[in-house]
Amino acid sequence: MTNFHRATYWSSIIKSPKQDFLASIVVFLVALPLCMGIAIASGVPVAAGLITGIVGGLVVGWFAGAPLQVSGPAAGLTVIVYQVVNEHGLLALGAVVLIAGALQLIAGALRLGRWFRAVSPAVIHGMLAGVGVLILSSQFHVMLDDAPKQNGLANLASIPAAAYGALVERNAAAGIGAIAIVCLIAWKTLAKRRLALIPAPLIAIVVAAVMAGTMGLPVARVQMPDSLSSTIQLPSLELLQSVPLYVLLQAGVLIAIVASAETLLCAAAVEKMKPEVKTDYDRELVAQGIGNIVCGALGALPMTGVIVRSSANVESGGQTRSSAILHGAWLLVFVVALGSMVRLIPTAGLAAILVYTGFKLINVQEIKRLKSYGWSEVGVYAATLCTIIATDLLTGVIVGIALSVAKLLIRFSHLNALIVHGEGDYCLLHLSGAATFLRLPVLASSLDRISPGEEVHVDFEQLDHIDHACMDLLMSFAQRHEQTGGTLIIDWGTLHAQVHGISESTKVDSESDNDLRRRIAA
């Protein structure tokens, strides 16, 4: 960090109490509707989502390795949570989240934080898009005060009929949902300056609640208990009598992996937004583990670092971890003092927010970015997305990772060896790809086609990797070739610093090699 940036950073810290206070209010207003909406999408009471938001601020905020990141319930985990709750009940969720938190804590203590970022972007974006499709398709039915179908494909297939039925019957919930979506889009487009600090989801919820209340519309409303304590369900060993341990472990491992990857990717994005505030990825993983252990013990939703809340924190002037901690305090104050107001909110309004969130998760622009790296990346993305929709999240992620590994293996087992003969005794051997023992026969075959006595130039410029087996073959060929009156000249390119064991008889002459290329091109 330069002296200028260091001075700027410490100057901002001095001003941080006021800025953190204002930022915490903005983050609270963003988090409130999302905590409730994600809880409904996950099939759990609204209070479970609010508890996770509170823990994400008051607990994780203190320990976070990414000070400006804000944690809470995430849309990316709704599919897993819904499946656990639907198949094994709400009590199983606490045990699963507890296991996930313990695994994250152990991973952070073992300093494995950065390894969770070693996932292909095509898999990550394919996973997010798949989750987005599932959220959009399921919450579309909730937006009509209808129950979601049994799986993602059924939800997608039944959307046209459900929309037509709502139009014919003049479904009041559908009208509320449509107006909420219009508010989300219009507010982000029309809000200027200070008004832009008011989150669009909050505007959508207020408009939906006011319309439903003043017009007396017969729509479903959010169910909120009189106190959070009535929602808390502590895990117990009796759960093992009805749910096998391996089922809980499998779900816990999946939540730990997905939540950790999403959290650390979010932390990396926040660090890019404010580079002077550095991130300790291992500490962040430990903090997330502590938070999920607490949430699991309370029977609440699992948490991750959430980019929507985190970006709102940075954009509204958050300087330290205080803004994240304070947003948890505001959530707690709201639930205790104004919890009864939640019962005025139409379920369709919250579902509309999630329909819009699901649409944003699909993010078609990412396909264009992936295409710039090759169609294979788009293929991994599409395979991950389609598998998640057709089966489940775990299978989709496994398929995506397997395809990414297969692509890597193919790349590292591919070698092109092109021989170009120039004037006289000049010969260029152009190598590209990866020269490993798997492709040793290809390299040997190319060397066999070189005539005795030629001056051979080997071009490594487009070679990604060469192992000792191929290097030994080249050195052996160089010694034999010199005995016939020939020479071997190597242009190491980017591999010069990586390859060792060059014999004294091998010449390195990039200048003569460039001269050869000019003559061949002519």
Side-chain angles (χ1 to χ4, degrees), residues 197-467:
L197 292 176
I198 304 175
L202 182 67
I203 298 297
I205 287 300
V206 170
V207 171
V210 170
M211 283 190 62
T214 56
M215 299 175 66
L217 297 177
V219 295
R221 287 175 169 77
V222 174
Q223 300 296 314
M224 182 73 180
D226 293 330
S227 66
L228 292 181
S229 59
S230 61
T231 305
I232 296 174
Q233 298 190 42
L234 303 179
S236 65
L237 293 177
E238 296 178 0
L239 177 64
L240 296 177
Q241 297 176 1
S242 57
V243 183
L245 179 60
Y246 78 89
V247 172
L248 300 176
L249 288 173
Q250 184 183 50
V253 169
L254 179 58
I255 287 180
I257 293 173
V258 174
S260 300
E262 189 171 339
T263 292
L264 298 180
L265 287 170
C266 175
V270 173
E271 189 174 27
K272 288 179 181 178
M273 295 172 67
K274 205 169 181 67
E276 63 269 26
V277 182
K278 298 301 180 183
T279 298
D280 184 334
Y281 292 97
D282 297 312
R283 178 176 174 177
E284 180 63 27
L285 201 54
V286 168
Q288 294 292 322
I290 293 172
N292 276 320
I293 287 173
V294 174
C295 287
L298 299 177
L301 287 174
M303 73 171 61
T304 74
V306 188
I307 189 62
V308 176
R309 277 160 256 191
S310 302
S311 59
N313 186 27
V314 174
E315 290 169 1
S316 55
Q319 300 294 326
T320 70
R321 66 182 68 247
S322 298
S323 55
I325 297 170
L326 281 173
H327 112 277
W330 304 143
L331 283 173
L332 179 60
V333 169
F334 175 84
V335 170
V336 172
L338 303 171
S340 58
M341 293 180 61
V342 174
R343 301 187 184 96
L344 303 175
I345 300 173
T347 305
L350 290 175
I353 293 175
L354 290 172
V355 167
Y356 185 75
T357 301
F359 175 76
K360 298 290 285 183
L361 281 175
I362 298 171
N363 196 357
V364 179
Q365 292 299 321
E366 286 300 335
I367 301 177
K368 296 180 180 179
R369 294 193 188 98
L370 291 172
K371 185 178 176 294
S372 65
Y373 295 97
W375 281 103
S376 59
E377 289 294 298
V378 178
V380 172
Y381 170 93
T384 305
L385 186 155
C386 294
T387 306
I388 288 174
I389 295 172
T391 56
D392 55 62
L393 185 65
L394 176 59
T395 305
V397 171
I398 291 174
V399 167
I401 292 175
L403 289 175
S404 298
V405 172
K407 177 191 164 206
L408 186 64
L409 291 176
I410 291 172
R411 181 179 178 184
F412 272 89
S413 63
H414 183 71
L415 174 66
N416 283 328
L418 176 65
I419 297 178
V420 182
H421 292 279
E423 297 178 0
D425 292 331
Y426 288 99
C427 172
L428 174 65
L429 174 59
H430 176 75
L431 299 177
S432 62
T436 67
F437 70 94
L438 295 173
R439 309 305 290 172
L440 195 67
V442 174
L443 181 58
S445 177
S446 298
L447 294 174
D448 289 342
R449 296 200 301 273
I450 297 175
S451 302
E454 286 191 305
E455 182 178 323
V456 183
H457 292 246
V458 186
D459 180 12
F460 277 7
E461 189 174 349
Q462 294 185 15
L463 195 66
D464 296 324
H465 174 77
I466 184 169
D467 66 6

Side-chain angles (χ1 to χ4, degrees), residues 129-207:
V131 169
V133 171
L134 292 178
I135 291 174
L136 186 154
S137 59
S138 65
Q139 293 307 298
F140 185 88
H141 295 282
V142 177
M143 191 175 69
L144 307 180
D145 275 357
D146 192 10
K149 311 307 176 188
Q150 63 271 25
N151 56 54
L153 289 176
N155 280 323
L156 277 174
S158 56
I159 283 179
Y164 178 76
L167 187 62
V168 172
E169 298 172 4
R170 297 184 179 181
N171 188 308
I176 290 291
I179 290 172
I181 291 176
V182 169
C183 289
L184 288 170
I185 299 171
W187 186 257
K188 291 185 177 182
T189 305
L190 301 177
K192 304 294 183 182
R193 297 182 181 179
R194 294 184 180 276
L195 287 178
L197 292 176
I198 304 175
L202 182 67
I203 298 297
I205 287 300
V206 170
V207 171

Side-chain angles (χ1 to χ4, degrees), residues 496-511:
H496 183 254
Q498 301 176 23
V499 183
H500 305 282
I502 307 171
S503 66
E504 292 181 1
S505 61
T506 301
K507 298 180 181 179
V508 180
D509 188 354
S510 296
E511 184 175 347

